Amino acid sequence: MWDIEKGNQTSITEFILLGFGNDPELQPLLFVIFLMIYITTMTSNLLLVLLVVADHHLHTPMYIFLGNLSCLETCYSSIILPKMLTNLFRGDRSISFTGCIAQFSLFGSCICMETYLLAAMSYDRYLAICKPLLYASIMHAKACFQLVAAAWITSLLGNSFIIFLMVQLSFCGPNKIDHYFCDFRPIEKLSCSDTTLIELVAFLLTIIFTAIPLLLTLTSYVFIIATILKIPSTTGKQKAFSTCSSHLTVVCIFYGTIIIVYMLPDNSTLRHLNKVFSVFYTVLTPLVNPLIYSLRNKEVHKALRRVGCNLKLFCTKQTELLK
Ligand SMILES: *[C@@H]1O[C@H](CO)[C@@H](O)[C@H](O)[C@H]1NC(C)=O
């Protein structure tokens, strides 16, 4: 009995990530594209973190959350992309069993963390727009810290349940995962143990970490939009809207693609489409978020000039005035 069990568990020590197909001409192209995406993602997010930390004008809740979001995004790009890049580069697509579980669990924690952080950010916008007089007394540094800490702790805790259940699954082959990273559904499908319990837990966690934050975010925006519509002047409307438009864009891209990926029926014709949409939320969200937040944001532009000037990289008379 012991031998059989042991045999089952050791029969698979690695998975094969099929990635984006076999076409030998496509692989170098994908390698170059994803490498550029990775470099840009890391640089822009780290730059944003640096700005938020270095410039005291950005020590407001909105930018503290944004700094944490950027930190998170450097993490989660680094969980997916380096492995994908080495696989594309070497043409070897294997990932060890432990590596696969580690990738899934880290990625899972990051996604949960992101949903809660986006919810906290929308609550911050709700207070700023709908309750401006109470804003300073509710959203102080301690509340900010508590929200961020709660997001980190709950997502790590929630994911440790799944990992605990996952390491107990046995895999007896096949070991091919038709995806470019170890996501929950493909791994769970390859298991030859009973997966009822883990599916139930995964479902509950999806509700806790996706449905609830999404609901909180939507509720905040319903109030925000109602308040904005009541502002009499057009410039007032635009001004209020401009403080939350970046965040709203990020929320729409993130949830839009997640909903598409997990709602699409899982059959072979749609699997390719599914992979493409997964690229959106795993690879492109971290890439575009810092851009969305910084391109049209005057505060970030000013901070960039101030920090650049302090580091003696570039200085103009205008920058001196900004201090
Ligand atoms: C993340 O949030 C914590 C808690 O509020 C804050 O102290 C820290 O500065 C934030 N990190 C960044 C990079 O903004």
Side-chain angles (χ1 to χ4, degrees):
M1 185 62 197
W2 169 248
D3 266 328
I4 293 168
E5 267 184 26
K6 206 169 164 219
N8 268 349
Q9 277 165 5
T10 50
S11 65
I12 284 188
T13 55
E14 60 174 30
F15 291 106
I16 308 290
L17 289 171
L18 293 183
F20 296 97
N22 275 322
D23 191 344
E25 308 213 315
L26 196 61
Q27 310 297 314
L29 180 68
L30 287 176
F31 177 79
V32 173
I33 294 176
F34 284 119
L35 183 63
M36 308 242 279
I37 291 182
Y38 186 52
I39 293 173
T40 320
T41 305
M42 293 305 274
T43 340
S44 52
N45 277 300
L46 288 176
L47 191 65
L48 204 56
V49 171
L50 178 83
L51 279 186
V52 173
V53 172
D55 193 70
H56 65 92
H57 292 266
L58 296 187
H59 288 178
T60 60
M62 184 169 137
Y63 291 101
I64 286 174
F65 288 134
L66 186 60
N68 277 274
L69 192 69
S70 281
C71 272
L72 185 70
E73 285 176 344
T74 55
C75 294
Y76 94 61
S77 298
S78 303
I79 294 164
I80 306 252
L81 279 167
K83 183 65 194 158
M84 185 163 136
L85 287 171
T86 47
N87 285 9
L88 280 170
F89 187 69
R90 297 203 320 236
D92 160 25
R93 294 147 172 215
S94 59
I95 180 165
S96 68
F97 180 74
T98 332
C100 200
I101 302 280
Q103 193 184 44
F104 158 73
S105 56
L106 290 173
F107 179 71
S109 310
C110 285
I111 287 283
C112 297
M113 171 71 196
E114 173 130 357
T115 56
Y116 267 94
L117 211 48
L118 289 176
M121 290 169 93
S122 62
Y123 178 61
D124 170 68
R125 290 298 87 209
Y126 159 76
L127 288 177
I129 293 173
C130 306
K131 305 261 185 281
L133 297 179
L134 293 175
Y135 182 71
S137 64
I138 299 179
M139 255 312 159
H140 43 72
K142 200 170 148 218
C144 221
F145 175 77
Q146 283 166 343
L147 281 174
V148 172
W152 281 112
I153 293 168
T154 46
S155 30
L156 290 176
L157 222 64
N159 269 279
S160 51
F161 275 115
I162 279 275
I163 299 156
F164 175 73
L165 291 173
M166 206 160 218
V167 293
Q168 296 177 17
L169 293 180
S170 22
F171 295 87
C172 15
N175 67 344
K176 292 194 170 57
I177 298 179
D178 188 12
H179 210 350
Y180 57 91
F181 72 102
C182 291
D183 202 358
F184 175 71
R185 252 203 277 172
I187 309 181
E188 174 249 317
K189 260 205 226 131
L190 292 179
S191 166
C192 46
S193 343
D194 178 20
T195 53
T196 329
L197 180 63
I198 196 167
E199 269 169 30
L200 183 70
V201 173
F203 177 72
L204 289 178
L205 290 180
T206 313
I207 295 201
I208 298 174
F209 288 103
T210 315
I212 293 179
L214 175 60
L215 215 63
L216 292 174
T217 310
L218 286 179
T219 318
S220 302
Y221 270 101
V222 168
F223 284 112
I224 290 174
I225 290 168
T227 308
I228 290 181
L229 289 179
K230 271 189 242 147
I231 299 176
S233 73
T234 321
T235 42
K237 277 195 180 108
Q238 275 168 354
K239 213 171 151 207
F241 188 68
S242 72
T243 62
C244 63
S245 56
S246 311
H247 179 251
L248 188 59
T249 317
V250 169
V251 166
C252 289
I253 297 177
F254 181 75
Y255 279 111
T257 49
I258 282 209
I259 288 171
I260 291 172
V261 168
Y262 291 99
M263 294 288 174
L264 275 183
D266 192 24
N267 60 35
S268 51
T269 40
L270 287 179
R271 189 143 326 132
H272 240 71
L273 209 59
N274 207 316
K275 255 189 248 174
V276 173
F277 277 109
S278 302
V279 170
F280 272 93
Y281 80 87
T282 55
V283 175
L284 295 183
T285 327
L287 174 72
V288 297
N289 282 2
L291 302 180
I292 291 174
Y293 266 103
S294 49
L295 283 183
R296 287 179 50 222
N297 188 318
K298 291 207 187 70
E299 283 305 308
V300 172
H301 293 176
K302 280 187 212 159
L304 191 60
R305 279 195 234 127
R306 276 191 301 259
V307 171
C309 188
N310 287 344
L311 295 174
K312 308 258 181 305
L313 294 175
F314 45 85
C315 249
T316 55
K317 280 226 176 67
Q318 249 180 329
T319 325
E320 298 294 335
L321 293 178
L322 288 174
K323 284 192 181 173

